[in-house]
Amino acid sequence: GYGKIKEPVLRLTAVFRALRFSAANGQFMDSFYNNPSGYGPNSRLNFGGIGSQTPLGSLTVFNFFSPTYSPPGAMSAAGLVSPELEIVDSVYAIDAPNVLSGYLVRDVSTLPLPPSGVSPYLVPDYSALLVNARDPAALVDQLNLLFCANQMTAATRATIVSTLQSLSAAETDLLRVQIATQLVILSPDGATQR
C-alpha cells in the first residue's frame, strides 16, 4: 500500500538528469531544432508519446489524473487508489519502454543535422557507469541507487545481474552499460517510487 507508479514526464526527466543528457548545441529541443512549436519530423523528445503527459499540458488544475482513481481489481478491492495508473493503457505500456530505450541506445550520428551542423540531439553520459561495466553486481548496485532509490528487490537484482553475466565477453563496455540501464529503468522497481 506504499509507493506509486512514477508519472511519465517525471520518469523521463529523471533518466535525463541521472545520465546527464546533453546536446552539443546546448539546448534541450532534441530533434525539434528547426521548429519552434516543438513538433516535427524525426521527433523523439515527445512527452505526449509517454502517457499523453506534456509539461504544462494538464487539462485541469488537478494534474493529469483523478486523485481518487482506483484501477479495477485487487487494488480497488483493497480500498487503495493509484491515480498515476489512470493514464496507463495499452499504448502507454508499449510507448514508455520504447521511448525510454530509444534515448539510451540510439546512434545520433545517423540523424540529420540542422544547417548549422551542430548536433541538437540529446545523448547520455555513461562515463560514471562505464567504470563498472565488467562487474555486473557493482553496475546494478550503482543503477539501483540512481533509478530505484536503492530499493530494488533482491529478485529483480538477481535477474539483471544474471542477464549481464550471460553476455558474451566480446560485448563492448558501452553495450553492457546500455543493457543494464535499460533493464533497471524498465523494471517494475525502476517504474515505481517508494
Side-chain angles (χ1 to χ4, degrees):
Y2 178 73
K4 67 176 190 166
I5 299 296
K6 293 177 183 175
E7 294 180 44
V9 72
L10 297 179
R11 190 173 176 193
L12 182 60
T13 55
V15 170
F16 284 174
R17 185 176 294 122
L19 296 177
R20 294 177 287 180
F21 270 77
S22 64
N25 70 357
Q27 298 180 11
F28 283 85
M29 294 297 285
D30 204 53
S31 60
F32 309 139
Y33 60 82
N34 202 21
N35 186 344
S37 71
Y39 296 93
N42 308 313
S43 297
R44 290 298 295 145
L45 186 58
N46 181 1
F47 291 97
I50 312 181
S52 301
Q53 201 178 33
T54 305
L56 305 177
S58 176
L59 298 176
T60 75
V61 297
F62 302 106
N63 208 336
F64 292 87
F65 27 71
S66 164
T68 59
Y69 177 77
S70 181
M75 287 186 74
S76 182
L80 299 172
V81 297
S82 184
E84 299 78 13
L85 286 176
E86 186 174 11
I87 59 177
V88 174
D89 58 16
S90 58
V91 174
Y92 172 84
I94 295 169
D95 278 352
N98 286 342
V99 170
L100 290 167
S101 294
Y103 277 112
L104 297 175
V105 300
R106 70 181 176 169
D107 179 1
V108 298
S109 69
T110 65
L111 301 175
L113 290 175
S116 70
V118 181
S119 177
Y121 301 106
L122 293 168
V123 293
D125 176 1
Y126 288 117
S127 58
L129 299 171
L130 285 169
V131 297
N132 288 321
R134 297 283 169 171
D135 184 347
L139 180 57
V140 172
D141 288 343
Q142 190 176 8
L143 291 166
N144 178 15
L145 184 61
L146 277 176
F147 297 110
C148 306
N150 215 28
Q151 297 179 356
M152 183 184 290
T153 64
T156 299
R157 183 182 182 280
T159 300
I160 296 173
V161 168
S162 174
T163 300
L164 296 174
Q165 289 170 336
S166 71
L167 294 175
S168 163
E171 298 295 354
T172 66
D173 289 355
L174 177 60
L175 183 63
R176 290 170 182 281
V177 167
Q178 288 173 325
I179 290 170
T181 305
Q182 277 184 286
L183 292 173
V184 170
I185 66 170
L186 299 180
S187 72
D189 303 59
T192 56
Q193 179 179 329
R194 292 188 290 256

